[in-house]
Amino acid sequence: MSTTCVPWMEVKPLGKLIINVLSKFGFLYMERKLENGVDSVVYNNLTIINLILKFHGPMHEQSLTLVLLVIQFICSIIAFMVRYPLAHALFGEIVV
């Protein structure tokens, strides 16, 4: 899992809120450090790949790719199920 390290004082208030909330719910690995008198935060980058690796641990690349494809397929089905009824409700017809 890839991580990044930034000085905590450089993170804006909205970023601090998002980092803290995601960390509390277990979606984000976060570690605060004090290096050379500078308070820093180390956290994993916010990608779906790192989220999967955080919950499942190390995986073979082929297995990870398959999981990502399944997630993409499910999200696409959900998007189509939302899009067409919403288009009908907004415009009165389905434009293909």
Side-chain angles (χ1 to χ4, degrees):
M1 183 169 26
S2 62
T3 60
T4 187
C5 179
V6 295
W8 186 244
M9 295 306 293
E10 290 183 13
V11 180
K12 295 183 180 178
L14 181 60
K16 289 179 181 178
L17 176 70
I18 291 171
I19 289 172
N20 285 326
V21 169
L22 291 176
S23 178
K24 294 272 189 228
F25 285 110
F27 293 116
L28 181 72
Y29 164 79
M30 181 187 76
E31 178 185 347
R32 301 262 315 250
K33 290 185 183 180
L34 186 62
E35 291 182 359
N36 301 328
V38 176
D39 187 23
S40 299
V41 62
V42 177
Y43 59 93
N44 62 317
N45 65 22
L46 303 172
T47 62
I48 295 175
I49 295 172
N50 276 334
L51 185 65
I52 292 168
L53 291 174
K54 181 177 183 335
F55 288 122
H56 290 287
M59 297 176 73
H60 189 271
E61 186 177 351
Q62 186 175 4
S63 302
L64 181 61
T65 303
L66 184 61
V67 170
L68 287 170
L69 285 172
V70 168
I71 290 172
Q72 183 176 1
F73 179 76
I74 291 170
C75 289
S76 295
I77 294 299
I78 292 170
F80 281 121
M81 289 173 31
V82 169
R83 185 244 188 247
Y84 285 107
L86 188 61
H88 183 67
L90 293 176
F91 304 114
E93 63 181 276
I94 297 177
V95 180
V96 180

